[in-house]
Amino acid sequence: MAALPFSTTCRHSSSPLHHNSKSSFIGFSQRNNIWQLLVITKSISRKSIRKLSVKNVASDEKQELKDPLAKRDTFYEFIPDSASIASSIKFHAEFTTPFSPEKFELNKAFFATAESVRDSLIINWNATNDYYERKNVKLAYYMSMEYLQGRALLNAIGNLQLLGPYAEALTKLGHNLEDVANKEPDAALGNGGLGRLASCFLDSLATLNYPAWGYGLRYKYGLFKQHITRDGQVEVAENWLEMGSPWEILRNDVSYPVKFYGEVIPGPNGSKQWVGGENILAVAYDVPIPGYKTRTTINLRLWSTKVSQEEFDLQAFNSGDHAKAYAVLRNAEKICYVLYPGDESIEGKTLRLKQQYTLCSASLQDIIARFEKRSGKRVNWDTLPDKVVVQMNDTHPTLCIPELIRILIDVKGLSWEKAWNITKRTVAYTNHTILPEALEKWSLTLLQDLLPRHVEIIRMIDEELIHEIISEYGIDDLDVFEQRLKKLRILENIELPSSVMELLSTEETSTVDPVKVIEVEDNDIMATEKEEKKDDDIDDDDDDDEVGEEGQEEDNENLSIEEDTDNKVEVRFKVDPKLPMMVRMANLCVAGGFSVNGVAAIHSKIVKDEVFNEFYELWPEKFQNKTNGVTPRRWIRFCNPDLSKIITKWIGTEDWVTDLEKLAILRKFADNEDLQLEWIEAKRRNKIKVASFLKDKTGYVVNPSAMFDVQVKRIHEYKRQLLNIMGIVYRYKKMKELSAEERREMFVPRVCIFGGKAFATYVQAKRIVKFITDVGATINRDPEIGDLLKVVFVPDYNVSVAEMLIPGSELSQHISTAGMEASGTSNMKFAMNGCILIGTLDGANVEIREEVGEDNFFLFGARAEEIAGLRKERAEGKFVPDPRFEEVKAYVRSGVFGPYNYDELMGSLEGNEGYGRADYFLVGKDFPSYLECQEEVDKAYLDQKRWTKMSILNTAGSYKFSSDRTIHEYARDIWRIEPIELA
């Protein structure tokens, strides 16, 4: 009997994670050298059954359930040894892996090992979700377009506390655990910090026993695989699913229809019917997310898209028109092909919008179905916010708001008022950027074409928002009101709703003084009328109109006032036909959500003071800060075992892995010479690993004794890789001007490591990649420089590369233009691993510097509050560049780094205004400060005792930046959920 990936009997086809009502998986037993799944039946002695109890961690009250699995048997805890694990791996190698049976090579060993681990996860996975369902707990649903998970094997084994047994088992089978783990491709479900944060959050949610699910899309090719050639970055399709994924389980019984295009027709009771158009299916793939040292295993549900096979045009295929035959199938499947498809074309924009809506629609249909199932026969929709909270990770899932309203009104029959009220209490929004291009706007025309029903709902939300603004502030001053609408409205350059126009017209009319009837002589009346006409600049040609009865004169005057009022309102709030009509997704998030949070203290301040200041004044209670964090399991415990052992030794416990505040204990040992020697040795071993890795990846040989200086992150102008490489060019130029002896005396040897992907259509970012690689090629083969300076660009940067580089890094660069990085999380990972940061006061750098100590952070550059003034100074032509900056630009243009023409790249740093010029990100302004700060870095590195103390204090001060702390704050302040532990 083959090992079953999930139980054989399910209670209902709609169950999100099936649990066997007759039996439970407990482990393996060997029979005829084949490992088989055992079941516990009711005949097993009660003594052998360990009861499942549930612990409410928040209240610390432990209750043993009388019927812990709702009239089904429980399981005892099976802790496998290396022999049973080896047999389990052998079983999967023979029966379940997608490889031929003749050989047991590394790829096959990885799949067999992963499937063995998955068997150990499934019982906890099913039990966790079964408990959530039966107890009808409130769940947090995390909605994200990205999950940058990295490799799962070592993380899962580590969380299960089985690293030793699995290593020993694989040794018996002729393989090394590390070699096997290295065969796992990184799951290509994300790009940068946004997706990595989402994955850290899932790890913390499971570890802390919070009831939660993640929702995302199952990208077939991810973003792209990055190759570095002589021409710079080249993108090719990522192949992470080429052999399949052993972690995911296809749920053929969980799929939902998703509609595009079509038309909207009136339905009963104010509802609408969305008919016609294009219909696809979103199908669920589930991935288990295990917690550390806990049974809790939560779910990440990823959607893939398809159409029913009936859509395949067999007649067209048989007639030879093959493209037509499967066009509908391909059109549906391509929605989940690529993360962030290029959106320069209308087709690209449409595809991106389809992706976002697919995520929102399928996930919300699933959430609603699960809510109804848990509610029983009578569903009280008012309780939805008490059982469900949806967290939108940035603006990509914004369509959750109109989609939830659509489902509640059109499918479930609720009124607009009730649906709008429920939605506003259910959905929350995390802002991750202040960059205008990242605060998404969508063309109204495109949205109207693709999602006509949702545009109707967005218009209604916009109208509700305007009326709330009027209710709060009034419309006495139309100039102020107009400016407020420009900031707050969801719809941009779109006519005001008729209800608002009527209100404005009425209000404008009411401000005109009415005609007063008083008893005066006729001659006085005539004189007064003439004087008023003179004051109001009424044309003399209208004098004849004044002759007649008094009532007629009054009517004419009132008619004139009404016409003027309408014209004034229309002129003031008119649509500019030269500008596009847009939908501002961030504004929709703020208006439709009950919570808005930034992700670092300085970022949240900018959000309140600048980005959404008018919203903050309207709803101050909505706004919060939740400083990001990273999981200490993956980012120090598992990726840096040498340092982890030292920390455990000196702290006296391994509890720091789930209680990172204990790292602060290291502060009292920072001057201890024994600790410093152990610390230096751990860093040296990690640097040797990095040097070997760089040789394998790039062919460059580097000296592990040099300082390892690292900047790895998405390539973007605001992150200022350009500042870093221009500083290196300056360093290289100065070296070339000195003798060999002078160079050795003046410069600390450095290995400068870069990594990151430039978006495929981001031309300037790709120029920066090309520049870095050209500089590296020149410097690295210069015999005069030798090991004093190396520049290495690591291709295809991902989580696994980060797990290698970060433990061996000594200096890490986080040098974005102040006020432009929302938070950053790689800075936290580097600090946690004892790497010292050089950076600006931007994002989480501010808080990291506070925690690790100002003396242990290399600070340079303009402050966030200075940026606007500096750009204004530049626009006015008052900026005077530092001579060293001009020197570097001239040196680059001289052709020393090859024949490529860098005029466009250097030109972006010149001029006073214009798109792509005027040094918008202030590289030139911060350049002299950066060079001086790097001189301080060299001085500090020469004193290794001081440097090591700084390194220890960085690790000790990083305790705040655990995603566990962040998740506790989300759970307490936003989601209002409590941890539930299966004991």
Side-chain angles (χ1 to χ4, degrees):
M1 183 176 67
L4 304 179
F6 44 82
S7 51
T8 55
T9 306
C10 63
R11 291 173 293 149
H12 37 73
S13 61
S14 62
S15 176
L17 285 168
H18 307 312
H19 192 290
N20 189 350
S21 61
K22 300 294 183 183
S23 58
S24 298
F25 162 69
I26 60 165
F28 293 105
S29 177
Q30 192 173 18
R31 180 180 302 169
N32 299 325
N33 295 320
I34 297 177
W35 280 81
Q36 299 178 327
L37 193 66
L38 290 184
V39 296
I40 300 176
T41 65
K42 292 183 182 292
S43 62
I44 293 180
S45 168
R46 301 299 295 176
K47 293 180 181 180
S48 68
I49 300 176
R50 177 178 176 177
K51 290 187 177 180
L52 176 69
S53 63
V54 178
K55 183 180 180 182
N56 186 320
V57 180
S59 62
D60 200 29
E61 293 178 359
K62 186 174 180 180
Q63 299 176 345
E64 187 179 85
L65 300 179
K66 292 181 179 179
D67 191 3
L69 287 178
K71 296 184 180 180
R72 57 186 79 125
D73 291 307
T74 64
F75 56 92
Y76 67 82
E77 184 175 6
F78 177 78
I79 302 176
D81 57 16
S82 61
S84 61
I85 288 172
S87 294
S88 171
I89 294 172
K90 286 167 63 179
F91 166 77
H92 282 292
E94 185 171 355
F95 288 97
T96 67
T97 61
F99 296 91
S100 59
E102 292 83 10
K103 298 178 182 179
F104 188 63
E105 297 178 332
L106 282 174
N107 279 325
K108 185 175 182 178
F110 160 66
F111 263 81
T113 303
E115 288 169 345
S116 169
V117 174
R118 193 183 73 177
D119 287 341
S120 298
L121 296 179
I122 283 176
I123 184 61
N124 292 339
W125 194 18
N126 284 345
T128 299
N129 286 279
D130 181 82
Y131 176 75
Y132 293 164
E133 181 181 320
R134 289 187 298 102
K135 300 304 291 183
N136 197 15
V137 298
K138 182 177 184 180
L139 271 87
Y141 294 99
Y142 200 77
M143 206 82 68
S144 179
M145 286 290 287
E146 294 187 47
Y147 290 93
L148 198 59
Q149 293 176 285
R151 292 168 175 164
L153 180 60
L154 290 181
N155 188 73
I157 294 173
N159 280 354
L160 291 168
Q161 299 289 285
L162 293 174
L163 280 170
Y166 265 93
E168 186 177 340
L170 282 167
T171 300
K172 293 176 180 178
L173 296 174
H175 288 299
N176 176 275
L177 174 58
E178 186 175 345
D179 293 337
V180 170
N182 285 337
K183 300 308 293 184
E184 179 177 7
D186 278 39
L189 299 173
N191 174 31
L194 186 78
R196 186 52 239 169
L197 179 76
S199 293
C200 282
F201 279 5
L202 292 186
D203 177 89
S204 287
L205 284 163
T207 297
L208 301 174
N209 303 297
Y210 281 113
W213 276 39
Y215 281 104
L217 294 182
R218 181 180 178 267
Y219 303 105
K220 184 174 182 179
Y221 301 116
L223 187 70
F224 57 80
K225 185 182 285 289
Q226 180 194 51
H227 291 171
I228 299 298
T229 70
R230 290 182 180 180
D231 297 322
Q233 173 180 294
V234 176
E235 306 90 23
V236 297
E238 178 63 74
N239 61 347
W240 77 284
L241 282 175
E242 186 175 31
M243 294 186 293
S245 171
W247 304 109
E248 64 183 17
I249 294 179
L250 168 62
R251 306 295 188 190
N252 280 313
D253 58 336
V254 182
S255 63
Y256 296 96
V258 178
K259 180 184 290 293
F260 306 108
Y261 305 108
E263 60 179 339
V264 181
I265 58 177
N269 302 320
S271 67
K272 299 290 182 71
Q273 289 183 313
W274 185 13
V275 299
E278 177 184 309
N279 298 282
I280 67 166
L281 280 178
V283 182
Y285 285 75
D286 287 344
V287 179
I289 308 295
Y292 178 75
K293 288 187 176 181
T294 176
R295 291 184 184 276
T296 301
T297 302
I298 64 174
N299 193 43
L300 171 60
R301 177 156 284 178
L302 303 172
W303 300 107
S304 187
T305 47
K306 68 175 188 178
V307 293
S308 63
Q309 296 306 308
E310 288 78 7
E311 298 288 344
F312 180 77
D313 192 337
L314 185 60
Q315 184 175 357
F317 189 87
N318 286 332
S319 66
D321 194 348
H322 301 155
K324 179 184 176 183
Y326 55 77
V328 176
L329 279 69
R330 292 298 187 198
N331 196 41
E333 292 171 357
K334 74 179 181 181
I335 292 173
C336 290
Y337 274 176
V338 176
L339 169 65
Y340 302 145
D343 60 353
E344 300 297 310
S345 64
I346 186 64
E347 291 81 8
K349 288 180 172 64
T350 301
L351 184 55
R352 276 212 195 188
L353 195 55
K354 280 185 171 184
Q355 287 183 334
Q356 294 186 4
Y357 179 61
T358 297
L359 170 64
C360 296
S361 180
S363 301
L364 282 170
Q365 289 182 72
D366 194 43
I367 290 168
I368 292 295
R370 288 163 51 78
F371 170 75
E372 289 182 302
K373 180 173 175 291
R374 287 183 286 142
S375 298
K377 293 182 179 179
R378 300 188 63 180
V379 179
N380 181 356
W381 290 104
D382 290 328
T383 66
L384 181 68
D386 300 323
K387 298 298 181 182
V388 167
V389 58
V390 175
Q391 187 71 42
M392 299 183 296
N393 192 29
D394 215 353
T395 53
H396 307 127
T398 304
L399 289 168
C400 281
I401 294 169
E403 175 66 3
L404 181 55
I405 293 173
R406 182 193 72 83
I407 293 172
L408 293 176
I409 295 176
D410 297 351
V411 181
K412 304 304 175 183
L414 274 63
S415 66
W416 159 261
E417 291 76 13
K418 180 168 279 193
W420 175 228
N421 180 265
I422 289 171
T423 299
K424 287 191 298 181
R425 294 163 50 215
T426 302
V427 180
Y429 163 53
T430 299
N431 173 271
H432 283 279
T433 185
I434 64 169
L435 295 177
E437 65 266 27
L439 292 171
E440 287 185 296
K441 295 181 181 180
W442 285 103
S443 160
L444 180 70
T445 304
L446 175 58
L447 267 170
Q448 179 69 56
D449 187 35
L450 193 68
L451 303 170
R453 177 55 175 144
H454 295 75
V455 169
E456 291 184 351
I457 293 170
I458 291 170
R459 284 184 179 275
M460 294 172 74
I461 296 172
D462 184 62
E463 186 172 359
E464 290 275 357
L465 174 60
I466 297 172
H467 281 289
E468 186 159 354
I469 295 167
I470 293 171
S471 175
E472 179 69 23
Y473 298 111
I475 49 177
D476 293 339
D477 190 330
L478 288 184
D479 289 329
V480 173
F481 178 66
E482 183 179 17
Q483 292 305 312
R484 191 168 276 131
L485 287 190
K486 286 182 178 178
K487 294 284 188 177
L488 293 173
R489 277 197 76 185
I490 296 163
L491 302 177
E492 181 179 86
N493 195 40
I494 296 172
E495 72 283 352
L496 288 173
S498 57
S499 64
V500 177
M501 290 295 290
E502 291 172 6
L503 189 61
L504 292 177
S505 299
T506 303
E507 182 70 17
E508 184 76 7
T509 302
S510 67
T511 61
V512 179
D513 292 334
V515 176
K516 295 180 180 180
V517 179
I518 55 175
E519 294 182 2
V520 293
E521 295 293 331
D522 289 345
N523 290 337
D524 291 337
I525 293 173
M526 294 297 294
T528 302
E529 286 175 346
K530 289 180 180 179
E531 189 66 29
E532 288 174 348
K533 290 186 177 90
K534 180 180 178 182
D535 291 342
D536 293 340
D537 294 324
I538 296 178
D539 193 83
D540 288 341
D541 291 341
D542 295 332
D543 284 353
D544 291 341
D545 295 337
E546 297 159 22
V547 180
E549 295 182 0
E550 185 175 329
Q552 184 64 46
E553 290 172 5
E554 229 176 87
D555 288 342
N556 290 339
E557 187 176 62
N558 287 340
L559 180 61
S560 176
I561 290 172
E562 290 173 6
E563 289 174 352
D564 288 345
T565 300
D566 290 341
N567 289 335
K568 284 181 183 178
V569 171
E570 289 175 5
V571 168
R572 187 184 298 274
F573 297 99
K574 69 178 181 179
V575 173
D576 188 342
K578 297 179 182 178
L579 296 175
M581 296 185 292
M582 307 296 288
V583 179
R584 297 190 282 193
M585 307 306 271
N587 287 27
L588 178 54
C589 285
V590 179
F594 68 86
S595 172
V596 180
N597 72 277
V599 290
I602 187 174
H603 170 239
S604 294
K605 185 176 187 301
I606 293 171
V607 164
K608 292 189 291 187
D609 295 349
E610 298 176 27
V611 182
F612 297 129
N613 178 251
E614 289 76 11
F615 278 116
Y616 176 65
E617 291 177 351
L618 182 62
W619 299 310
E621 70 284 353
K622 279 192 180 187
F623 288 80
Q624 302 186 33
N625 174 60
K626 295 289 172 278
T627 298
N628 282 343
V630 300
T631 166
R633 271 74 64 186
R634 182 180 287 271
W635 291 112
I636 183 167
R637 175 62 183 86
F638 300 149
C639 77
N640 198 345
D642 288 341
L643 192 63
S644 296
K645 290 174 184 175
I646 294 170
I647 292 170
T648 298
K649 172 185 172 181
W650 285 85
I651 289 178
T653 176
E654 202 181 37
D655 291 349
W656 61 270
V657 180
T658 52
D659 182 8
L660 210 62
E661 289 188 5
K662 285 185 166 57
L663 286 183
I665 296 172
L666 288 172
R667 284 174 173 156
K668 65 183 180 182
F669 303 116
D671 288 309
N672 187 289
E673 291 186 4
D674 291 336
L675 172 58
Q676 289 188 0
L677 288 173
E678 292 177 24
W679 203 269
I680 291 171
E681 177 59 22
K683 183 66 72 173
R684 187 189 68 83
R685 287 196 295 268
N686 286 326
K687 290 174 67 178
I688 291 171
K689 292 178 184 177
V690 171
S692 175
F693 171 80
L694 294 179
K695 183 180 179 181
D696 290 342
K697 276 281 186 178
T698 70
Y700 288 130
V701 177
V702 301
N703 184 357
S705 298
M707 179 201 299
F708 280 19
D709 171 355
V710 180
Q711 186 180 20
V712 283
K713 52 185 75 231
R714 179 167 50 95
I715 308 296
H716 198 290
E717 288 171 278
Y718 90 84
K719 293 180 183 289
R720 299 202 296 191
Q721 287 92 351
L722 187 55
L723 175 60
N724 185 353
I725 192 63
M726 290 188 74
I728 293 169
V729 169
Y730 179 80
R731 188 181 187 93
Y732 175 63
K733 186 175 185 296
K734 294 297 120 180
M735 284 181 173
K736 294 290 287 182
E737 294 169 358
L738 300 173
S739 67
E741 185 176 345
E742 289 172 328
R743 280 195 291 269
R744 285 194 297 271
E745 289 179 359
M746 289 188 61
F747 292 100
V748 170
R750 286 206 197 193
V751 177
C752 301
I753 303 169
F754 292 84
K757 295 179 180 180
F759 190 67
T761 58
Y762 190 177
V763 175
Q764 192 74 327
K766 295 178 79 169
R767 287 191 185 116
I768 292 170
V769 173
K770 169 67 173 165
F771 184 37
I772 294 169
T773 57
D774 280 354
V775 170
T778 299
I779 293 176
N780 296 344
R781 65 171 178 252
D782 189 330
E784 292 183 355
I785 302 304
D787 285 342
L788 269 181
L789 183 62
K790 297 290 185 184
V791 179
V792 182
F793 191 100
V794 181
D796 205 37
Y797 177 69
N798 57 23
V799 174
S800 297
V801 174
E803 289 173 322
M804 173 61 67
L805 293 180
I806 290 174
S809 302
E810 294 173 288
L811 180 74
S812 181
Q813 306 219 21
H814 303 273
I815 56 179
S816 53
T817 311
M820 303 205 74
E821 182 77 89
S823 169
T825 53
S826 65
N827 45 8
M828 302 170 186
K829 299 164 193 169
F830 280 101
M832 202 173 282
N833 283 270
C835 185
I836 300 162
L837 275 55
I838 178 172
T840 54
L841 285 180
D842 195 28
N845 282 359
V846 177
E847 292 162 85
I848 291 175
R849 182 169 176 261
E850 290 172 355
E851 297 298 332
V852 305
E854 295 180 4
D855 293 338
N856 306 305
F857 184 105
F858 294 106
L859 177 67
F860 76 95
R863 302 324 198 237
E865 62 271 14
E866 300 174 314
I867 300 302
L870 291 171
R871 286 179 177 144
K872 183 173 183 288
E873 176 187 84
R874 185 70 182 246
E876 294 170 352
K878 297 177 181 178
F879 172 69
V880 180
D882 187 274
R884 291 168 292 183
F885 187 60
E886 296 300 287
E887 184 183 341
V888 169
K889 288 191 297 178
Y891 192 55
V892 172
R893 282 179 163 137
S894 73
V896 68
F897 299 114
Y900 186 83
N901 187 340
Y902 282 108
D903 282 347
E904 288 289 340
L905 186 60
M906 295 298 106
S908 70
L909 306 173
E910 299 169 339
N912 297 321
E913 57 185 354
Y915 179 76
R917 296 184 66 79
D919 193 13
Y920 183 79
F921 300 100
L922 304 180
V923 173
K925 175 64 181 177
D926 281 350
F927 190 70
S929 174
Y930 178 70
L931 293 183
E932 289 152 15
C933 193
Q934 287 285 12
E935 290 176 4
E936 293 300 315
V937 171
D938 281 350
K939 290 177 185 177
Y941 194 76
L942 288 171
D943 184 351
Q944 278 293 293
K945 183 176 178 62
R946 175 193 169 194
W947 186 273
T948 304
K949 179 179 178 180
M950 294 171 69
S951 175
I952 294 169
L953 290 174
N954 264 265
T955 298
S958 65
Y959 63 87
K960 176 182 177 180
F961 305 103
S962 167
S963 52
D964 295 351
R965 186 265 314 151
T966 312
I967 286 300
H968 275 312
E969 293 179 3
Y970 271 98
R972 180 192 66 213
D973 302 334
I974 298 178
W975 302 334
R976 306 296 171 90
I977 60 175
E978 294 186 347
I980 301 294
E981 182 178 353
L982 279 69

